[in-house]
């Protein structure tokens, strides 16, 4: 037998890496389904498909989103395995525009703002009337954050069996603020109707009864409750924000008990523009006006208002004073 002759068909050349041209074309994910983010935990997001609390999936963030922040309340589009079975994982490919945002900074000197919750309709500020004692400064900060973020604030006073609510509530009367009481033994007739068909964020210091209130409204939530420690500060009983359904008629977003609420990211105009009548008036203010009135701002147009609006100006300036001090 003679020697075999070889040709090019006998030789297989393995292509090198990088020989396949890359493309910047990305899929449009036309088949993506909408969902609401209800939990966040270490790079995994729990999502309710079409806001259905009974159809939940776990998803990761798609590579094309980069480091786009996604928080509880965000409207997202997801693809992949949407069965919701254990050990399955979908992908978040889009985050929708946010209608409202509740932001805070770590402290008043930190310029980095953090979005706590997105797309909520209202903020329920939970304050105990005693044990621990109520903090006016915290309520003022929460009100400022709600007004600046586009949320409707509601003040909820707990532990009404330990102190009368009227003296503390009177400090905010001129803001036309909805104020309700929800003591441990009180019926929830005043609170529950406010939450129907709304996405409501619960915010409060540890130990004020926030998680107890959540458990009464959503019995299956099984959120931990704790006792107030002996130094006057509550133990943290919730460790991350979570959205809980209200019998299919709204959502409650329970947030961790907070110890600080920085406002470094908020400007005075962000607060003023939350009141339609005041927002129209400040258009006549001189440039750079801080809206504090004489002597700091002698030409502030808010000083021309009379009647109930004037009372609201005084109450709003009290908030601006708290913001300036921050």
């Amino acid at each position: 037998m003679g020697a075999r002759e070889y040709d090019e068909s006998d030789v297989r050349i393995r292509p090198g890496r990088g020989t396949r041209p890359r493309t910047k074309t990305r899929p449009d994910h036309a088949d993506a389904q909408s969902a609401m983010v209800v939990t966040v935990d270490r790079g995994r997001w729990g999502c309710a498909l079409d806001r259905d609390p009974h159809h939940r999936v776990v998803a990761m963030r798609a590579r094309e989103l980069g480091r786009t922040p996604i928080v509880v309340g965000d409207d997202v589009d997801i693809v992949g395995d949407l069965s919701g079975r254990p050990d399955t994982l979908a992908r978040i490919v889009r985050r929708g525009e946010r209608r409202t945002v509740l932001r805070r900074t770590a402290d008043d000197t930190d310029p980095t703002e953090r979005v706590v919750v997105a797309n909520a309709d209202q903020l329920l500020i939970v304050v105990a009337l005693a044990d621990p004692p109520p903090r006016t400064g915290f309520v003022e900060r929460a009100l400022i954050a709600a007004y600046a973020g586009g949320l409707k604030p509601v003040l909820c006073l707990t532990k009404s069996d330990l102190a009368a609510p009227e003296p503390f509530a009177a400090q905010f009367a001129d803001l036309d603020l909805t104020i309700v009481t929800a003591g441990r033994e009180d019926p929830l007739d005043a609170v529950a109707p406010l939450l129907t068909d709304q996405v409501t964020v619960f915010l409060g210091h540890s130990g004020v009864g926030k998680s107890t209130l959540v458990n009464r409204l959503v019995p299956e939530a099984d959120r931990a409750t704790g006792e107030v420690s002996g130094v006057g500060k509550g133990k943290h009983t919730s460790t991350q924000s979570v959205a809980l359904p209200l019998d299919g008629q709204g959502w409650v977003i329970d947030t961790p008990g907070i110890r600080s609420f920085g406002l470094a990211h908020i400007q005075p105009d962000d607060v003023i523009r939350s009141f339609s009548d005041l927002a129209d008036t400040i258009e006549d203010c001189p440039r750079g006006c801080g809206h504090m009135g004489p002597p700091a701002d002698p030409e502030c147009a808010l000083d021309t208002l009379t009647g109930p609006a004037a009372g609201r100006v005084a109450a709003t300036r009290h908030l601006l004073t708290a913001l300036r001090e921050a």
Side-chain angles (χ1 to χ4, degrees):
M1 296 180 61
R4 181 180 176 183
E5 295 184 1
Y6 294 93
D7 59 22
E8 63 272 10
S9 63
D10 294 301
V11 180
R12 180 182 178 188
I13 300 176
R14 178 178 296 176
R17 290 185 178 182
T19 57
R20 181 179 178 182
R22 293 178 61 88
T23 174
K24 293 184 178 180
T25 303
R26 294 290 182 266
D28 58 5
H29 298 296
D31 59 342
Q33 293 195 30
S34 62
M36 171 185 172
V37 176
V38 294
T39 60
V40 179
D41 185 20
R42 292 172 294 184
R44 296 292 183 266
W45 288 262
C47 304
L49 281 179
D50 295 321
R51 293 180 172 251
D52 180 358
H54 303 294
H55 191 174
R56 301 192 185 191
V57 300
V58 177
M60 61 179 288
R61 182 170 47 196
R63 179 175 295 181
E64 56 260 39
L65 286 181
R67 302 181 71 87
T68 301
I70 300 173
V71 301
V72 170
D74 267 326
D75 294 322
V76 295
D77 290 338
I78 58 179
V79 299
D81 192 331
L82 306 183
S83 65
R85 293 190 299 266
D87 301 323
T88 59
L89 194 62
R91 288 186 300 128
I92 299 174
V93 294
R94 280 188 293 268
R95 190 197 73 188
E97 292 292 328
R98 290 169 171 169
R99 296 174 281 106
T100 66
V101 285
L102 179 65
R103 296 185 176 100
R104 75 177 183 93
T105 56
D107 55 48
D108 293 328
T109 61
D110 182 2
T112 304
E113 61 185 56
R114 295 166 176 81
V115 177
V116 181
V117 172
N119 299 323
D121 300 301
Q122 52 191 3
L123 174 66
L124 194 82
I125 307 165
V126 184
V127 178
L129 292 166
D131 190 31
R135 302 178 183 179
T136 303
F138 167 72
V139 176
E140 292 171 345
R141 286 170 174 264
L143 288 173
I144 291 171
Y147 292 138
L151 289 78
K152 176 185 177 182
V154 177
L155 179 59
C156 180
L157 304 176
T158 64
K159 303 187 181 182
S160 54
D161 56 318
L162 302 179
E166 290 80 11
F168 187 77
Q171 302 176 71
F172 309 99
D174 289 328
L175 289 173
D176 290 337
L177 178 65
T178 300
I179 302 176
V180 295
T181 58
R184 186 182 294 270
E185 304 301 327
D186 294 339
L188 297 178
D189 299 343
V191 179
L194 298 175
L195 311 182
T196 302
D197 296 326
Q198 302 289 308
V199 178
T200 306
V201 185
F202 280 43
L203 185 73
H205 284 296
S206 298
V208 299
K210 177 174 58 65
S211 292
T212 299
L213 179 58
V214 170
N215 286 337
R216 292 182 65 192
L217 291 163
V218 191
E220 63 273 19
D222 194 28
R223 301 293 281 171
T225 58
E227 297 179 356
V228 177
S229 64
V231 297
K233 292 185 178 180
K235 300 176 181 178
H236 287 276
T237 57
S238 306
T239 58
Q240 60 182 348
S241 297
V242 57
L244 305 165
L246 282 168
D247 294 329
Q249 296 182 332
W251 293 83
V252 164
I253 300 180
D254 190 13
T255 61
I258 63 171
R259 296 190 186 277
S260 64
F261 204 90
L263 300 175
H265 59 292
I266 295 177
Q267 300 300 318
D269 281 7
D270 298 332
V271 180
I272 296 291
R273 290 201 171 94
S274 300
F275 303 93
S276 58
D277 53 345
L278 305 189
D280 292 338
T281 303
I282 65 171
E283 296 300 324
D284 297 326
C285 287
R287 178 175 298 184
C289 181
H291 313 304
M292 296 300 297
D297 301 295
E299 299 180 11
C300 181
L302 294 177
D303 292 319
T304 63
L305 297 176
T306 59
R312 190 154 47 254
V313 169
T316 305
R317 281 175 171 168
H318 189 73
L319 295 180
L320 295 182
T321 298
L323 180 61
R324 177 171 292 187
E325 292 174 352

